Amino acid sequence: MAKLNWIKKQQGQLLIEAMVAVSLMLVGLLGIFGVLSRSLGLSRVAADQFVAVNLASEGIEIAKNILDKNFLAVGASWNAGFFDGEEYYVDYRSEGLGDCTTDELYFTGQGFYECNPVGNTKSKFKRVLEVAIKADGNMVAVKSTVNWTARGGLNSDVTVEDHFYNWRKP
Amino acid sequence: MRQPFKNNQGFTLMELLVAMTVFLLVVGLSSGVFLQTLRSQRTITNISESMNNVTITLEQIAREMRTGFDFENPSSDRIGFRDGYGNYVAYALVSLGENGSGPHAIGRCSEEICGTEDDFKPVTSSNVEIDGLRFVLKNGRVPLITVAAEVSIDSKRDEKEASITLQTSVSSRIIDKNG
């Protein structure tokens, strides 16, 4: 009789012990899951950054292209169309600064990022070119910033800056 | 006389069952987590490897084009030009398998004539799937070339179709002064 009572007392505790152990384990596993999903999310952020850096450097190249075209154009100043403190939107089809009316970049069916919204799907990237004129008009500083909102609502941006000089004399 | 085993009745069937259930539960859970970890680790490696490959290739293409000239009008996924040394270079999307099968890669050809796909040597890794490569040339006295590469970031296990497009443009530094 005494022996039976002893077993009866212990049974409840055993179950509780097991439950505590299992829940502790669950907490640990949940932690691992959290780290995992965070690392997956971060790798997607890194992928977005790759895209943004390329788009930002594209902005610089477009500005360089316009400057070189200015140099070749007869009678135009080398930095025609570049004004100090202005912000411009461009895409790869732009002939001059400010050919785009929006900073949003749209993804076309052909697979390019451009600023034309018609028939294209909006991408998460936005690009702004900031122009500063320095050194008595002999230097143009172009700052190309791409910003985007990641899936978690986190705002990120990438800025690339380049300086162009009036070294080419006709 | 001590009898150490007298009070020990052994395990009952119930106790054994409960212990086994708990054990199985714990082993099942942790192996599930372990498998999931392996799977996502593979996805993450795949994404970062793909992005690294495509970025470095785009960088190489951009570098070569920056000092390039005589750009051909690109067909959708192929462009040829002369690099800074005057040598002919072409980039195209090539398939790594026979007869257009298998994964696709970005190929580079530095022969004088790049007729067939065999002339192109892949510059991206064979375990990176390039879904598309597109060129746009805005020709003129200052050529502007736009390159867009679409890389697949599918994890092979869950068969999800996903890809990321990287796009950049290059303005050639060699300008046509005399028009």
Side-chain angles (χ1 to χ4, degrees):
Chain A
M1 207 52 207
K3 208 180 277 168
L4 264 175
N5 276 337
W6 182 78
I7 288 175
K8 250 185 199 161
K9 254 189 237 161
Q10 288 290 315
Q11 260 176 348
Q13 238 169 13
L14 252 179
L15 196 60
I16 290 169
E17 275 166 18
M19 277 166 73
V20 166
V22 168
S23 54
L24 271 180
M25 193 138 192
L26 268 178
V27 168
L29 292 182
L30 276 180
I32 294 177
F33 262 126
V35 168
L36 259 182
S37 73
R38 176 138 180 80
S39 121
L40 203 64
L42 280 179
S43 79
R44 299 209 189 267
V45 168
D48 283 345
Q49 272 171 348
F50 274 119
V51 178
V53 165
N54 278 291
L55 285 174
S57 67
E58 178 183 70
I60 298 287
E61 290 290 318
I62 292 165
K64 170 69 178 162
N65 191 257
I66 294 168
L67 286 170
D68 280 354
K69 273 195 289 205
N70 281 343
F71 165 73
L72 292 174
V74 182
S77 76
W78 78 287
N79 58 7
F82 289 72
F83 293 101
D84 194 32
E86 291 290 318
E87 291 190 343
Y88 299 99
Y89 313 133
V90 289
D91 73 4
Y92 70 94
R93 306 161 305 151
S94 297
E95 295 293 336
L97 281 188
D99 274 12
C100 289
T101 49
T102 169
D103 59 346
E104 311 261 9
L105 289 169
Y106 294 85
F107 197 61
T108 67
Q110 289 82 45
F112 291 103
Y113 293 96
E114 58 178 55
C115 65
N116 169 31
V118 181
N120 300 323
T121 49
K122 194 165 146 183
S123 76
K124 58 184 145 194
F125 299 101
K126 297 176 182 177
R127 179 173 55 206
V128 176
L129 259 59
E130 279 174 66
V131 169
I133 309 252
K134 289 169 186 163
D136 302 326
N138 282 319
M139 195 260 266
V140 167
V142 182
K143 215 193 257 184
S144 174
T145 303
V146 170
N147 68 70
W148 73 97
T149 307
R151 235 186 316 192
L154 184 77
N155 278 312
S156 312
D157 60 68
V158 163
T159 302
V160 178
E161 184 171 346
D162 207 348
H163 297 175
F164 301 108
Y165 293 87
N166 185 19
W167 59 276
R168 272 196 180 112
K169 302 290 181 190
Chain B
M1 189 85 191
R2 274 182 65 205
Q3 288 173 314
F5 298 116
K6 199 176 184 182
N7 285 337
N8 204 327
Q9 293 183 323
F11 294 114
T12 62
L13 186 61
M14 273 320 275
E15 276 169 346
L16 204 65
L17 277 176
V18 168
M20 276 170 72
T21 317
V22 169
F23 177 77
L24 281 180
L25 203 77
V26 164
V27 166
L29 265 174
S30 44
S31 63
V33 169
F34 183 66
L35 285 179
Q36 187 61 41
T37 312
L38 281 183
R39 208 171 298 161
S40 8
Q41 196 257 356
R42 197 177 300 140
T43 311
I44 291 164
T45 317
N46 178 273
I47 293 178
S48 67
E49 193 189 350
S50 303
M51 292 319 268
N52 273 334
N53 257 272
V54 175
T55 310
I56 200 161
T57 307
L58 275 186
E59 190 64 38
Q60 185 194 347
I61 296 176
R63 259 180 94 100
E64 233 166 0
M65 283 178 170
R66 209 164 274 143
T67 52
F69 56 95
D70 275 0
F71 289 92
E72 286 170 5
N73 237 348
S75 67
S76 58
D77 65 359
R78 177 193 160 135
I79 193 170
F81 57 95
R82 298 212 165 263
D83 68 6
Y85 302 104
N87 300 320
Y88 183 75
V89 176
Y91 284 97
L93 185 70
V94 294
S95 60
L96 296 172
E98 295 292 312
N99 300 324
S101 64
H104 290 81
I106 299 176
R108 178 181 186 270
C109 167
S110 51
E111 313 281 325
E112 207 40 50
I113 297 156
C114 300
T116 63
E117 217 170 65
D118 294 337
D119 296 330
F120 288 86
K121 310 231 170 358
V123 284
T124 49
S125 160
S126 59
N127 43 19
V128 170
E129 167 72 6
I130 309 288
D131 283 342
L133 180 67
R134 294 172 287 271
F135 297 100
V136 174
L137 171 65
K138 207 168 72 175
N139 217 344
R141 291 162 70 189
V142 192
L144 181 84
I145 310 97
T146 304
V147 189
E150 194 179 336
V151 58
S152 134
I153 51 161
D154 301 353
S155 49
K156 284 183 182 78
R157 280 298 283 266
D158 31 331
E159 303 287 331
K160 254 189 293 175
E161 280 293 320
S163 63
I164 293 180
T165 299
L166 282 108
Q167 175 186 317
T168 197
S169 294
V170 202
S171 177
S172 176
R173 276 13 178 204
I174 301 187
I175 62 179
D176 184 5
K177 266 190 185 164
N178 306 313

Coordinates of all heavy atoms in Angstrom, one line a residue, chain A residues 66-67 70 76-83 97:
Chain A
I66 N 26.1 62.1 -70.6 CA 25.6 63.4 -71.0 C 26.7 64.5 -71.1 O 26.7 65.3 -72.0 CB 24.4 63.8 -70.1 CG1 23.3 62.8 -70.2 CG2 24.0 65.2 -70.3 CD1 22.3 62.9 -69.1
L67 N 27.6 64.4 -70.1 CA 28.7 65.4 -70.1 C 29.6 65.2 -71.4 O 30.0 66.2 -72.0 CB 29.6 65.2 -68.9 CG 29.0 65.7 -67.6 CD1 29.9 65.2 -66.4 CD2 28.9 67.2 -67.6
N70 N 27.8 66.6 -74.3 CA 27.9 68.1 -74.2 C 29.2 68.6 -74.8 O 29.3 69.6 -75.6 CB 27.8 68.6 -72.8 CG 26.4 68.6 -72.3 OD1 25.5 68.6 -73.0 ND2 26.3 68.7 -70.9
A76 N 27.9 74.2 -77.1 CA 27.3 73.9 -75.8 C 28.4 74.0 -74.7 O 29.5 73.6 -75.0 CB 26.6 72.6 -75.7
S77 N 28.1 74.4 -73.5 CA 29.1 74.4 -72.5 C 29.2 72.9 -72.0 O 28.3 72.1 -72.2 CB 28.7 75.3 -71.4 OG 27.7 74.7 -70.6
W78 N 30.3 72.6 -71.4 CA 30.6 71.2 -71.1 C 29.6 70.7 -70.1 O 29.3 69.5 -70.1 CB 32.0 71.0 -70.6 CG 32.2 71.5 -69.2 CD1 32.3 72.7 -68.7 CD2 32.4 70.6 -68.1 NE1 32.4 72.8 -67.4 CE2 32.5 71.5 -66.9 CE3 32.5 69.2 -67.9 CZ2 32.7 70.9 -65.6 CZ3 32.7 68.7 -66.6 CH2 32.8 69.6 -65.5
N79 N 29.1 71.6 -69.2 CA 28.2 71.1 -68.2 C 26.8 71.6 -68.4 O 26.0 71.8 -67.5 CB 28.7 71.4 -66.8 CG 28.9 72.9 -66.6 OD1 28.6 73.7 -67.5 ND2 29.5 73.2 -65.5
A80 N 26.4 71.8 -69.7 CA 25.0 72.3 -70.0 C 24.0 71.3 -69.4 O 24.1 70.1 -69.5 CB 24.9 72.4 -71.5
G81 N 23.0 71.8 -68.8 CA 22.0 71.0 -68.2 C 22.2 70.6 -66.8 O 21.4 70.0 -66.1
F82 N 23.4 70.8 -66.3 CA 23.8 70.5 -64.9 C 23.7 71.8 -64.1 O 24.5 72.7 -64.3 CB 25.2 69.9 -64.8 CG 25.3 68.5 -65.4 CD1 25.2 68.3 -66.7 CD2 25.5 67.4 -64.5 CE1 25.3 67.0 -67.3 CE2 25.6 66.1 -65.0 CZ 25.5 65.9 -66.4
F83 N 22.8 71.8 -63.1 CA 22.7 73.0 -62.3 C 23.0 72.7 -60.8 O 22.6 71.6 -60.3 CB 21.3 73.7 -62.4 CG 21.1 74.2 -63.8 CD1 20.4 73.5 -64.8 CD2 21.7 75.4 -64.2 CE1 20.3 74.0 -66.0 CE2 21.6 75.9 -65.5 CZ 20.8 75.2 -66.4
L97 N 19.7 65.3 -68.6 CA 19.3 65.2 -67.2 C 17.8 65.6 -67.1 O 17.4 66.5 -67.8 CB 20.2 66.1 -66.3 CG 21.5 65.6 -66.0 CD1 22.1 66.5 -64.9 CD2 21.5 64.2 -65.4

